[in-house]
Amino acid sequence: MLHIISLGAGVQSSTVALMAAHGEITPMPECAIFADTHAEPQHIYDYLDYLDELLPFPIIKVSGGDMRQMIVDSCGDNKGNARLATAPFFVKTEKAKEGRVRRQCTREFKVTPIERKLRELVGLKKGERAPRGEILAQQWIGISMDEITRMKDARIKWAKHRWPLIELKMTRLHCLKWMKEHGYKQPAKSACTFCPYRSDKDWFKMKNEDPVSFADAVAIDNHIRAGASGMKEGNELYIHRSLKPLEEVDLQHLSNTAQFDMFEEECDGMCGV
Ligand code: SF4
Protein backbone atom coordinates (compact mmCIF):
# COMPACT_ATOMS: atom_id res chain seq x y z
CA MET A 1 0.00 0.00 0.00
CA LEU A 2 1.22 3.47 -0.92
CA HIS A 3 1.50 5.99 1.94
CA ILE A 4 1.31 9.65 1.00
CA ILE A 5 0.90 12.89 2.94
CA SER A 6 -1.57 15.54 1.80
CA LEU A 7 0.64 18.54 2.37
CA GLY A 8 -0.88 22.00 2.71
CA ALA A 9 2.38 23.42 4.16
CA GLY A 10 0.55 24.82 7.16
CA VAL A 11 1.36 23.89 10.76
CA GLN A 12 -0.35 20.51 11.00
CA SER A 13 0.53 18.79 7.74
CA SER A 14 4.11 20.12 7.96
CA THR A 15 4.38 18.61 11.44
CA VAL A 16 3.13 15.26 10.11
CA ALA A 17 5.76 15.37 7.34
CA LEU A 18 8.58 16.30 9.72
CA MET A 19 7.54 13.70 12.32
CA ALA A 20 7.53 11.07 9.57
CA ALA A 21 11.02 12.21 8.58
CA HIS A 22 12.07 11.65 12.22
CA GLY A 23 10.47 8.17 12.23
CA GLU A 24 7.95 9.29 14.86
CA ILE A 25 5.14 8.40 12.48
CA THR A 26 5.64 5.22 10.49
CA PRO A 27 6.04 3.81 7.91
CA MET A 28 8.08 6.33 5.93
CA PRO A 29 5.70 7.77 3.31
CA GLU A 30 6.60 7.52 -0.36
CA CYS A 31 5.91 11.21 -0.92
CA ALA A 32 3.92 14.27 0.09
CA ILE A 33 1.54 15.85 -2.40
CA PHE A 34 0.89 19.59 -2.45
CA ALA A 35 -2.05 20.85 -4.49
CA ASP A 36 -1.13 24.31 -5.75
CA THR A 37 -3.96 26.76 -6.34
CA HIS A 38 -1.35 29.34 -7.50
CA ALA A 39 -2.99 31.67 -5.02
CA GLU A 40 -1.17 30.99 -1.74
CA PRO A 41 0.84 33.71 0.01
CA GLN A 42 4.53 33.70 -0.92
CA HIS A 43 5.50 32.48 2.57
CA ILE A 44 3.79 29.16 1.86
CA TYR A 45 5.84 28.60 -1.28
CA ASP A 46 8.96 29.57 0.69
CA TYR A 47 8.05 27.10 3.42
CA LEU A 48 7.55 24.36 0.83
CA ASP A 49 11.09 24.98 -0.42
CA TYR A 50 12.29 24.81 3.19
CA LEU A 51 10.52 21.47 3.74
CA ASP A 52 11.83 20.14 0.46
CA GLU A 53 15.37 20.56 1.79
CA LEU A 54 14.53 18.71 5.00
CA LEU A 55 12.36 15.77 4.00
CA PRO A 56 13.81 12.42 2.94
CA PHE A 57 10.87 11.87 0.57
CA PRO A 58 9.82 14.05 -2.37
CA ILE A 59 7.14 16.73 -2.38
CA ILE A 60 5.08 16.33 -5.54
CA LYS A 61 3.24 19.45 -6.69
CA VAL A 62 -0.03 19.03 -8.53
CA SER A 63 -2.49 21.63 -9.73
CA GLY A 64 -6.07 21.98 -10.86
CA GLY A 65 -5.21 25.31 -12.50
CA ASP A 66 -4.67 28.89 -11.45
CA MET A 67 -7.50 29.76 -9.12
CA ARG A 68 -6.72 33.47 -8.95
CA GLN A 69 -6.69 33.73 -12.74
CA MET A 70 -10.01 31.88 -12.93
CA ILE A 71 -11.58 34.50 -10.64
CA VAL A 72 -10.07 37.33 -12.67
CA ASP A 73 -11.34 35.75 -15.91
CA SER A 74 -14.89 35.12 -14.68
CA CYS A 75 -15.80 38.23 -12.69
CA GLY A 76 -15.69 42.01 -13.05
CA ASP A 77 -15.33 43.29 -16.61
CA ASN A 78 -14.62 39.71 -17.72
CA LYS A 79 -17.95 38.43 -16.39
CA GLY A 80 -19.24 35.69 -18.66
CA ASN A 81 -15.86 34.90 -20.22
CA ALA A 82 -15.05 31.96 -17.94
CA ARG A 83 -16.65 29.60 -15.46
CA LEU A 84 -16.16 30.31 -11.74
CA ALA A 85 -15.58 27.45 -9.29
CA THR A 86 -16.58 29.47 -6.29
CA ALA A 87 -14.65 30.02 -3.11
CA PRO A 88 -16.81 30.34 0.04
CA PHE A 89 -17.50 34.05 -0.57
CA PHE A 90 -20.17 35.91 1.37
CA VAL A 91 -23.13 37.09 -0.65
CA LYS A 92 -25.51 40.01 -0.11
CA THR A 93 -28.86 39.39 -1.73
CA GLU A 94 -32.03 41.43 -1.89
CA LYS A 95 -33.87 39.06 0.44
CA ALA A 96 -31.17 38.02 2.88
CA LYS A 97 -28.54 40.31 4.28
CA GLU A 98 -25.93 37.60 4.41
CA GLY A 99 -25.32 34.18 2.94
CA ARG A 100 -22.54 32.09 1.53
CA VAL A 101 -22.05 30.81 -1.97
CA ARG A 102 -21.44 27.09 -2.35
CA ARG A 103 -17.77 26.20 -2.08
CA GLN A 104 -16.48 24.43 -5.19
CA CYS A 105 -12.81 25.36 -5.01
CA THR A 106 -11.63 22.67 -2.58
CA ARG A 107 -12.89 19.86 -4.79
CA GLU A 108 -11.60 21.41 -8.01
CA PHE A 109 -8.25 22.75 -6.85
CA LYS A 110 -7.31 20.44 -3.99
CA VAL A 111 -9.16 17.11 -3.81
CA THR A 112 -9.38 16.20 -7.49
CA PRO A 113 -5.76 17.01 -8.48
CA ILE A 114 -4.49 14.96 -5.51
CA GLU A 115 -6.76 12.02 -6.38
CA ARG A 116 -5.60 12.17 -10.00
CA LYS A 117 -1.96 11.97 -8.90
CA LEU A 118 -2.80 9.15 -6.47
CA ARG A 119 -4.33 7.12 -9.32
CA GLU A 120 -1.18 7.62 -11.32
CA LEU A 121 1.06 6.63 -8.38
CA VAL A 122 -0.84 3.40 -7.65
CA GLY A 123 -0.79 2.55 -11.36
CA LEU A 124 -4.49 2.89 -12.17
CA LYS A 125 -5.14 4.05 -15.71
CA LYS A 126 -7.94 6.49 -16.56
CA GLY A 127 -11.25 4.74 -15.93
CA GLU A 128 -9.58 1.58 -14.57
CA ARG A 129 -11.06 0.14 -11.39
CA ALA A 130 -9.05 -1.19 -8.47
CA PRO A 131 -9.56 -4.86 -7.56
CA ARG A 132 -12.70 -5.13 -5.45
CA GLY A 133 -12.10 -4.46 -1.75
CA GLU A 134 -8.40 -3.69 -2.18
CA ILE A 135 -6.91 -0.60 -0.52
CA LEU A 136 -4.08 0.71 -2.67
CA ALA A 137 -3.20 3.95 -0.89
CA GLN A 138 -3.34 5.54 2.51
CA GLN A 139 -3.58 9.32 2.48
CA TRP A 140 -2.31 11.00 5.66
CA ILE A 141 -4.23 14.15 6.53
CA GLY A 142 -2.88 16.73 9.00
CA ILE A 143 -5.99 17.29 11.05
CA SER A 144 -5.32 17.91 14.74
CA MET A 145 -7.44 17.22 17.84
CA ASP A 146 -8.84 20.75 17.84
CA GLU A 147 -10.26 20.16 14.36
CA ILE A 148 -11.53 16.64 14.88
CA THR A 149 -14.89 17.43 13.30
CA ARG A 150 -13.15 17.92 9.95
CA MET A 151 -12.24 14.22 9.72
CA LYS A 152 -13.88 12.62 6.70
CA ASP A 153 -13.40 9.28 5.02
CA ALA A 154 -11.90 9.15 1.54
CA ARG A 155 -14.48 9.32 -1.23
CA ILE A 156 -12.61 6.79 -3.37
CA LYS A 157 -13.00 3.12 -2.48
CA TRP A 158 -9.39 2.05 -3.06
CA ALA A 159 -7.86 4.65 -0.72
CA LYS A 160 -8.33 5.41 2.93
CA HIS A 161 -7.52 8.41 5.06
CA ARG A 162 -5.29 8.34 8.10
CA TRP A 163 -5.07 11.13 10.68
CA PRO A 164 -1.69 10.75 12.46
CA LEU A 165 -2.17 13.78 14.74
CA ILE A 166 -5.47 12.37 16.00
CA GLU A 167 -3.74 9.02 16.73
CA LEU A 168 -1.15 10.97 18.74
CA LYS A 169 -3.81 13.19 20.36
CA MET A 170 -1.94 16.30 19.19
CA THR A 171 -3.48 19.76 18.93
CA ARG A 172 -2.19 22.62 16.77
CA LEU A 173 -0.35 23.95 19.82
CA HIS A 174 1.33 20.56 20.34
CA CYS A 175 2.49 20.74 16.72
CA LEU A 176 3.98 24.22 17.23
CA LYS A 177 5.70 22.99 20.41
CA TRP A 178 7.09 19.92 18.63
CA MET A 179 8.47 22.11 15.84
CA LYS A 180 10.06 24.52 18.30
CA GLU A 181 11.65 21.71 20.33
CA HIS A 182 13.16 20.30 17.15
CA GLY A 183 14.43 23.66 15.94
CA TYR A 184 12.20 23.99 12.89
CA LYS A 185 10.79 27.21 11.47
CA GLN A 186 7.06 27.47 12.03
CA PRO A 187 4.78 28.03 9.04
CA ALA A 188 1.86 30.42 8.99
CA LYS A 189 -1.63 29.31 8.07
CA SER A 190 -1.86 28.03 4.53
CA ALA A 191 -4.81 29.24 2.45
CA CYS A 192 -5.37 31.24 -0.70
CA THR A 193 -4.71 34.95 -0.10
CA PHE A 194 -8.39 35.74 -0.70
CA CYS A 195 -9.85 32.76 1.19
CA PRO A 196 -12.79 33.96 3.29
CA TYR A 197 -12.05 31.25 5.90
CA ARG A 198 -10.11 33.72 8.00
CA SER A 199 -10.80 35.27 11.36
CA ASP A 200 -10.54 39.02 11.89
CA LYS A 201 -7.30 38.36 13.75
CA ASP A 202 -5.94 36.52 10.71
CA TRP A 203 -6.91 39.38 8.40
CA PHE A 204 -5.43 41.98 10.73
CA LYS A 205 -2.20 39.98 10.98
CA MET A 206 -2.02 39.61 7.21
CA LYS A 207 -2.61 43.33 6.71
CA ASN A 208 0.29 44.18 9.01
CA GLU A 209 2.74 41.38 8.36
CA ASP A 210 2.10 40.45 4.73
CA PRO A 211 0.86 43.59 2.93
CA VAL A 212 1.48 42.05 -0.51
CA SER A 213 -0.98 39.21 0.18
CA PHE A 214 -3.43 41.62 1.78
CA ALA A 215 -3.32 43.89 -1.28
CA ASP A 216 -4.02 40.83 -3.42
CA ALA A 217 -7.01 39.89 -1.27
CA VAL A 218 -8.34 43.46 -1.54
CA ALA A 219 -7.93 43.40 -5.34
CA ILE A 220 -9.84 40.12 -5.63
CA ASP A 221 -12.50 41.35 -3.19
CA ASN A 222 -13.12 44.43 -5.33
CA HIS A 223 -13.11 42.33 -8.51
CA ILE A 224 -15.76 39.81 -7.40
CA ARG A 225 -18.38 42.32 -6.27
CA ALA A 226 -20.89 41.73 -9.09
CA GLY A 227 -20.20 37.99 -9.17
CA ALA A 228 -19.86 35.77 -12.21
CA SER A 229 -22.31 34.87 -14.94
CA GLY A 230 -25.05 32.55 -13.73
CA MET A 231 -25.33 34.43 -10.45
CA LYS A 232 -28.36 36.55 -9.82
CA GLU A 233 -28.10 40.16 -10.99
CA GLY A 234 -27.88 42.51 -8.05
CA ASN A 235 -26.28 40.00 -5.69
CA GLU A 236 -22.92 41.11 -4.37
CA LEU A 237 -19.96 38.97 -3.35
CA TYR A 238 -17.58 39.84 -0.53
CA ILE A 239 -14.58 38.24 1.09
CA HIS A 240 -15.35 39.59 4.55
CA ARG A 241 -18.47 38.56 6.44
CA SER A 242 -19.32 42.19 7.30
CA LEU A 243 -20.34 42.53 3.62
CA LYS A 244 -18.10 45.57 3.36
CA PRO A 245 -15.12 45.99 1.03
CA LEU A 246 -12.17 44.36 2.79
CA GLU A 247 -10.12 47.57 2.55
CA GLU A 248 -12.79 49.44 4.54
CA VAL A 249 -13.23 46.94 7.38
CA ASP A 250 -11.89 48.10 10.75
CA LEU A 251 -9.89 44.93 11.34
CA GLN A 252 -8.01 46.34 14.30
CA HIS A 253 -11.21 47.03 16.20
CA LEU A 254 -12.79 43.69 15.23
CA SER A 255 -9.74 41.66 16.13
CA ASN A 256 -9.44 43.40 19.51
CA THR A 257 -13.07 42.91 20.44
CA ALA A 258 -13.55 39.33 19.19
CA GLN A 259 -14.17 37.02 22.16
CA PHE A 260 -13.91 34.03 19.89
CA ASP A 261 -14.21 33.62 16.19
CA MET A 262 -16.80 31.21 14.94
CA PHE A 263 -15.76 31.93 11.38
CA GLU A 264 -12.38 30.31 11.71
CA GLU A 265 -13.33 27.51 9.32
CA GLU A 266 -11.17 25.82 6.76
CA CYS A 267 -11.42 23.67 3.66
CA ASP A 268 -12.17 20.02 4.40
CA GLY A 269 -8.94 18.28 5.15
CA MET A 270 -6.97 19.71 2.27
CA CYS A 271 -6.61 23.46 2.77
CA GLY A 272 -5.29 25.30 5.75
CA VAL A 273 -3.42 22.43 7.43
S1 SF4 B 1 -7.95 27.89 0.81
FE1 SF4 B 1 -10.04 28.73 0.69
S2 SF4 B 1 -10.20 29.67 -1.35
FE2 SF4 B 1 -8.38 28.31 -1.37
S3 SF4 B 1 -9.13 26.36 -2.18
FE3 SF4 B 1 -9.32 26.26 0.07
S4 SF4 B 1 -11.41 27.01 0.61
FE4 SF4 B 1 -10.93 27.57 -1.54
Side-chain angles (χ1 to χ4, degrees):
M1 184 165 60
L2 192 79
H3 295 265
I4 69 110
I5 300 175
S6 276
L7 185 67
V11 170
Q12 286 95 328
S13 66
S14 300
T15 304
V16 170
L18 288 165
M19 288 182 85
H22 278 251
E24 292 187 30
I25 301 170
T26 57
M28 188 66 77
E30 275 76 12
C31 63
I33 303 181
F34 174 77
D36 191 359
T37 62
H38 299 275
E40 299 267 353
Q42 184 55 43
H43 61 76
I44 290 299
Y45 297 108
D46 294 344
Y47 199 79
L48 269 179
D49 290 342
Y50 171 71
L51 282 179
D52 204 29
E53 296 278 314
L54 294 168
L55 299 177
F57 45 85
I59 297 175
I60 299 176
K61 290 183 188 165
V62 295
S63 179
D66 185 331
M67 187 171 165
R68 188 186 189 286
Q69 194 59 48
M70 176 199 63
I71 294 172
V72 169
D73 290 344
S74 58
C75 298
D77 291 342
N78 301 325
K79 192 171 174 176
N81 291 349
R83 184 185 65 90
L84 176 67
T86 43
F89 297 130
F90 293 93
V91 59
K92 184 156 78 176
T93 66
E94 271 175 31
K95 284 187 189 154
K97 277 200 176 139
E98 183 199 307
R100 267 250 164 101
V101 293
R102 194 163 66 89
R103 172 164 51 92
Q104 298 164 323
C105 49
T106 308
R107 170 69 45 93
E108 185 153 334
F109 290 92
K110 295 279 180 179
V111 179
T112 301
I114 290 178
E115 284 179 4
R116 212 181 294 132
K117 177 52 79 177
L118 259 186
R119 282 188 75 84
E120 184 191 315
L121 291 173
V122 299
L124 285 178
K125 297 194 182 71
K126 201 173 177 197
E128 185 184 350
R129 291 178 180 225
R132 201 182 171 85
E134 202 167 316
I135 301 295
L136 304 177
Q138 193 177 63
Q139 199 177 347
W140 302 7
I141 313 275
I143 284 177
S144 52
M145 285 299 282
D146 31 347
E147 308 173 313
I148 200 162
T149 52
R150 294 175 61 205
M151 288 168 68
K152 275 192 187 149
D153 286 327
R155 63 175 190 155
I156 38 182
K157 290 196 175 114
W158 48 266
K160 66 176 181 178
H161 285 171
R162 179 186 178 193
W163 302 274
L165 299 174
I166 302 291
E167 291 168 18
L168 295 166
K169 304 211 177 333
M170 287 177 72
T171 61
R172 189 173 190 277
L173 275 181
H174 290 133
C175 293
L176 289 169
K177 187 165 174 271
W178 187 93
M179 283 186 163
K180 195 172 175 197
E181 283 169 2
H182 290 78
Y184 292 121
K185 285 199 262 181
Q186 296 178 347
K189 176 176 168 139
S190 72
C192 302
T193 52
F194 44 77
C195 182
Y197 286 157
R198 275 193 176 81
S199 66
D200 292 322
K201 282 192 175 128
D202 283 339
W203 283 122
F204 187 54
K205 193 163 181 255
M206 187 202 260
K207 187 175 181 179
N208 287 301
E209 295 177 13
D210 185 3
V212 173
S213 295
F214 189 76
D216 190 54
V218 165
I220 291 293
D221 180 52
N222 291 334
H223 187 70
I224 60 173
R225 196 70 70 238
S229 61
M231 293 184 182
K232 201 168 171 212
E233 283 299 317
N235 286 0
E236 291 182 339
L237 297 182
Y238 292 85
I239 279 179
H240 194 266
R241 70 172 186 276
S242 63
L243 303 180
K244 286 186 189 159
L246 183 61
E247 60 194 331
E248 292 174 17
V249 180
D250 186 349
L251 295 168
Q252 180 166 18
H253 174 72
L254 289 175
S255 60
N256 283 339
T257 51
Q259 300 279 313
F260 63 93
D261 202 327
M262 57 193 274
F263 289 92
E264 216 162 344
E265 308 160 75
E266 318 220 28
C267 276
D268 298 336
M270 301 291 171
C271 298
V273 291

